[in-house]
Amino acid sequence: MEYNPGWNSSSVNLLHVRAVGPGDSLHYVWSSIGAPSVLLVATRSPSSALRVNWTQLLSPSPAGAVWIDPPDSVVYSSAVVFTKLFEFSEAKPLGELFYPTYDLSEFSWDSLNHTLNHTALTAELRGVPATDPGGAFANGSLAFRVTAYEAGGRAVPLPSLLHTADSSQLEFIVAGVAPRGNGSRFLLQLAAVEPAGAARRLRALSSIDDEYTPSVFQELSLVAESPNSSSPLSFLQWKAAAYGSPRPRREDGIRCRTGGLRVANGSLPGASLLHAFFGDSLATSCSVSVLNVSFGGEEGHVYQERRYLSWSALLGFGEPPRDAFSPLVISITAVALGTPLAVLLLGSCLVLLAQRRRYSEYEPIN
């Protein structure tokens, strides 16, 4: 992990995470230059490196300011940008009432270097609106917490997402922000950028296994697919749950809903990092899909009471990790289903045996 490579100032944030394999390397580039975003690049070279022309990146025309060296080692690139945060409430009988939108490209972000932990491979990007007339952020902030991994495993706090060494976790946090209405709910808008020929698809997987995420039976994935390949290129994966506590428990759950995936019209304003890598032809040479993730529902009072919201998602390359029944769950299921069956079989055998003994003591009547 390296912060602002080649740049000594902490007035802007760019975090580069590189995972090196025997014959390839993976790059994650997180930035708050413009709207918060992450660039994902896979290369066929274990020595590929990130290059940044800082003067050009911070100029009004950043196209070409970020690239991977050598350029011909790049086999795939993608990006996710978090564009807006909406706040709305139910205003009967008028329906949903939306308050003025928080444009994340207009936020002021703290230096990520203050939270960078090279041992735990974590960093936190925290910000507030540059202008806050209503004072909603007077005692609060919005944050994106990033975690990289060196090996496969499972995150400890809920929702306990399963990860691999090729993936990174993102935690979206709203803390201390004063709601502008009774029972306000939040909606995070994100956009996924894919090169020409690839497209995003939303998957929903339901399972009866809630061992690691109690009472949450749905997992969603936004996967990038190519018409020339049967396996996904990259993914964004999350559980259908958010939480209202820094140390989440089952009772802290907040309903998480996902809107339909739609194609974006036009360019992405404020996405400076994406323009720097994909160029000025971003809107024409790449496909851009927009997705809304909302938090609330019947449990909207959770944030109203605790002023805390966290939502976790996993980013990575290839096929998303898929939960499987653990040996413990398989053993419990086997005992639960096998015991009644064993009792039934034993009872049937005893009845048959009793019947044979009963009629064997008598001669049949002619």
Side-chain angles (χ1 to χ4, degrees), residues 38-317:
V38 55
L39 176 67
L40 296 85
V41 183
T43 74
R44 63 169 62 94
S45 170
S47 59
S48 61
L50 176 72
R51 305 299 184 197
V52 182
N53 183 330
W54 284 98
T55 304
Q56 186 177 353
L57 177 61
L58 301 178
S59 71
S61 302
V66 176
W67 71 97
I68 298 294
D69 190 26
D72 58 0
S73 66
V74 176
V75 293
Y76 172 71
S77 57
S78 176
V80 177
V81 55
F82 302 91
T83 55
K84 297 177 181 179
L85 179 68
F86 297 92
E87 182 182 350
F88 64 98
S89 62
E90 293 288 344
K92 296 179 180 180
L94 301 177
E96 295 178 344
L97 172 64
F98 278 82
Y99 299 96
T101 304
Y102 293 118
D103 189 335
L104 301 187
S105 65
E106 298 176 356
F107 269 48
S108 175
W109 301 95
D110 295 341
S111 174
L112 187 147
N113 196 36
H114 297 156
T115 61
L116 184 59
N117 187 324
H118 289 276
T119 303
L121 300 179
T122 60
E124 185 171 310
L125 183 66
R126 188 182 300 112
V128 297
T131 58
D132 186 21
F137 279 79
N139 298 310
S141 64
L142 183 150
F144 293 91
R145 184 178 296 157
V146 178
T147 304
Y149 298 106
E150 292 182 316
R154 187 180 298 275
V156 175
L158 293 175
S160 303
L161 294 175
L162 181 67
H163 62 260
T164 67
D166 297 340
S167 59
S168 295
Q169 181 170 291
L170 170 73
E171 188 177 359
F172 170 69
I173 302 170
V174 180
V177 178
R180 291 175 284 183
N182 294 327
S184 284
R185 308 173 192 176
F186 291 101
L187 185 150
L188 177 64
Q189 183 182 83
L190 59 91
V193 178
E194 294 296 326
R200 289 273 178 168
R201 185 167 67 89
L202 184 62
R203 292 180 183 175
L205 179 64
S206 298
S207 172
I208 62 172
D209 183 13
D210 67 341
E211 178 184 4
Y212 300 104
T213 315
S215 72
V216 179
F217 301 97
Q218 190 178 44
E219 187 174 63
L220 297 106
S221 300
L222 185 61
V223 297
E225 297 178 336
S226 170
N228 302 324
S229 176
S230 58
S231 60
L233 301 170
S234 65
F235 65 86
L236 177 72
Q237 183 185 59
W238 66 96
K239 294 277 191 177
Y243 295 92
S245 172
R247 297 176 177 82
R249 299 167 298 173
R250 177 180 176 180
E251 53 267 29
D252 301 321
I254 299 175
R255 177 173 296 183
C256 172
R257 294 178 176 175
T258 303
L261 185 66
R262 66 183 190 277
V263 177
N265 295 321
S267 61
L268 289 172
S272 297
L273 177 65
L274 277 62
H275 287 109
F277 184 81
F278 292 104
D280 290 329
S281 60
L282 171 65
T284 56
S285 63
C286 299
S287 63
V288 182
S289 305
V290 176
L291 185 72
N292 293 333
V293 182
S294 64
F295 315 100
E298 291 79 356
E299 306 86 355
H301 64 278
V302 175
Y303 183 82
Q304 195 81 15
E305 296 173 354
R306 306 183 185 181
R307 302 288 177 92
Y308 191 91
L309 166 69
S310 70
W311 172 71
S312 299
L314 194 72
L315 296 103
F317 297 87

Side-chain angles (χ1 to χ4, degrees), residues 30-41:
W30 304 84
S31 177
S32 64
I33 302 174
S37 53
V38 55
L39 176 67
L40 296 85
V41 183

